[in-house]
Structures are given as structure tokens and as C-alpha cells.
Amino acid sequence: MTLSRRTQSAVLGLAMASLASCGLPKACDAPPPPEALLADASSDVTFASVEMLGPHHYLSSLTRTDSRQGVPDRVVDEVVEISWQDWDNFQVRRLVDGDPQRETIVADGHAWVKTGDRWDARDDAEPHRLQLRTTWNTWDQVLASFQQHMKLVPAGDDIVDGRSASRYTLEMLPADQAPRPKSWGFQPISLQGTVWVDKATAVRLKVQLQAVSRRQGLTQSVRFTLQRSNIGEFQEIRSPPG
């Protein structure tokens, strides 16, 4: 399994922690199962790990429902789509409730940004590379309040878009294993889903989940899907018309 340096550090850190928790050397006859290492590493991937997949298409979809007693529900649908070839050729599109919010094209190292119906050329593509590096991880954005309250349970091997993957069931930690509830922000209530993690890079290839959290009188329910496809296939990124 070939992992990025940061992911390798995550795997090594987990293995060292496991050995330390065993106490005497005789108590550790076998290392932790690879599934546990891979699950931990998947929480620490960067876009450098995503690059190792090569060209591919990324699509995430989020439906968020905010509910308060006596008030009509507020529902928001958000879609993020990324076509990735390399750092000189990629396209990022974000839609909210079906309306395009922002679209960026970097083709042959040149950048354009679309706001409304108008494309504007930009002098420097580097700010858009930086933006992609810092905003690609929709998983972390969706599950921010669940990070210390969930676990990935191994559920077998699978193939996703031709890649060897480990499949996990996503569950809430038991109350006696989870941190104390915070006195502020959203409190995790329930979480369930399935996650497919690429064995070679620890990148999440596919996600299907539902989660509920609560803050005072507001209950927030989310349905989230993520899919990477066309892995290794050429992504034709072109400059916008005109």
C-alpha cells in the first residue's frame, strides 16, 4: 500500500499508539488489522493523496434540513463537482439549490472564474490552486461536529471504479467512549452510513450517510453522498467559450 507522507505518519502513529496500549510486549502478538490503519489514515489525507489517484471526476451532494418547532423546515441542497487532470487543468463548480454559485476553470495554466453568466479571465491561477487545496474536503465540512463521536467499522473488501477498496460502516461511538458533549455548537445525535476507502491512497472513493445533530431548539438533518469516478481517465478541461 503506497501512502502519502502525511498518511504514512497517521498509519505509523496509530500503530505506535496500539503497541503502547498493549502494555507488555507479550500482549502484542499481532499488529492492528490493516482495516483499522486504513480507516485512521483516511481521516488525515490531504489533496496530495488525492493527486495520487490521477485524473478523475468528483461529485458530492448535500441536503441539509433545519427544523424548529412551529417553523417550516428550511432545506438547502448543495453540490460540489470537480474535474481533475492536474494542477494546470481542473474545473470546480458549486451549486446551491440548483443555482450555480461559482465556477472556476484552470486550463493550460490559465484561470477563469464564472459569476452569474459571465466568465472573467484571471491573471494568476495560483490563488485558485490554493482554494482547491483548502476547500476540496466536503467530508470534513459536513461532519465537523461528529469527528470525535464516530467510528468506521470494517465491512469487507470491494471494488470502486476499478480500484481496490475497503468498505466501512459508519456508526456513532458508544456514549461511554465518546467525549463529553460540548456546551456550545451542534451536538451529535445520530449517524449512519457506508464509506469506501481506496486501499492504495486512503482516499474516500464513495460515501453514503445520514446524520442528525442539535443545537438548542434547532435540529439539523443531513444526507450526504460522495463519488469519485472515471479514475485514471483523461479529463478534458477547456477554456470557457469566448
Side-chain angles (χ1 to χ4, degrees):
M1 180 168 62
T2 304
L3 303 176
S4 67
R5 290 183 178 178
R6 185 173 177 181
T7 302
Q8 289 172 353
S9 298
V11 172
L12 179 60
L14 181 62
M16 293 296 290
S18 178
L19 289 172
S21 67
C22 291
L24 296 175
K26 290 183 179 179
C28 294
D29 293 332
E35 292 84 357
L37 298 177
L38 190 63
D40 185 76
S42 70
S43 67
D44 199 38
V45 298
T46 65
F47 202 87
S49 302
V50 176
E51 286 182 73
M52 294 169 65
L53 290 175
H56 66 280
H57 183 260
Y58 170 96
L59 183 67
S60 70
S61 176
L62 168 69
T63 299
R64 184 177 67 248
T65 303
D66 292 341
S67 303
R68 290 182 184 272
Q69 188 173 5
V71 178
D73 289 352
R74 179 175 181 266
V75 181
V76 177
D77 292 311
E78 183 173 344
V79 171
V80 175
E81 185 177 11
I82 302 172
S83 294
W84 166 262
Q85 179 65 29
D86 52 42
W87 282 116
D88 283 333
N89 298 274
F90 62 87
Q91 184 169 358
V92 182
R93 188 168 67 124
R94 178 174 174 265
L95 298 90
V96 175
D97 293 335
D99 296 325
Q101 298 298 301
R102 185 180 177 91
E103 186 171 358
T104 301
I105 292 177
V106 173
D108 294 328
H110 301 286
W112 293 264
V113 174
K114 185 178 184 181
T115 305
D117 295 327
R118 175 176 173 175
W119 283 100
D120 292 318
R122 300 298 168 91
D123 294 333
D124 187 4
E126 190 56 32
H128 307 288
R129 299 186 182 104
L130 177 61
Q131 184 180 44
L132 178 58
R133 288 188 181 97
T134 56
T135 61
W136 69 274
N137 196 341
T138 50
W139 164 279
D140 279 356
Q141 298 165 28
V142 170
L143 293 176
S145 61
F146 286 84
Q147 294 295 346
Q148 296 182 325
H149 297 264
M150 63 184 186
K151 62 179 179 178
L152 295 177
V153 180
D157 294 332
D158 215 335
I159 300 294
V160 178
D161 206 69
R163 305 277 299 190
S164 295
S166 290
R167 185 175 69 255
Y168 298 90
T169 299
L170 188 61
E171 300 178 1
M172 289 277 288
L173 283 173
D176 60 348
Q177 297 180 23
R180 275 188 174 185
K182 296 179 295 185
S183 58
W184 51 272
F186 281 95
Q187 308 299 317
I189 303 300
S190 66
L191 176 68
Q192 58 185 6
T194 308
V195 183
W196 289 260
V197 178
D198 183 58
K199 288 187 176 183
T201 63
V203 173
R204 299 178 194 92
L205 299 177
K206 185 178 178 180
V207 176
Q208 299 172 343
L209 68 83
Q210 296 181 358
V212 178
S213 57
R214 188 172 296 134
R215 183 179 63 188
Q216 299 177 349
L218 173 64
T219 299
Q220 189 171 91
S221 304
V222 300
R223 286 187 290 111
F224 177 73
T225 62
L226 180 158
Q227 178 76 58
R228 285 187 166 88
S229 60
N230 304 123
I231 298 173
E233 298 182 14
F234 179 76
Q235 307 293 305
E236 189 170 2
I237 312 297
R238 296 182 176 181
S239 59

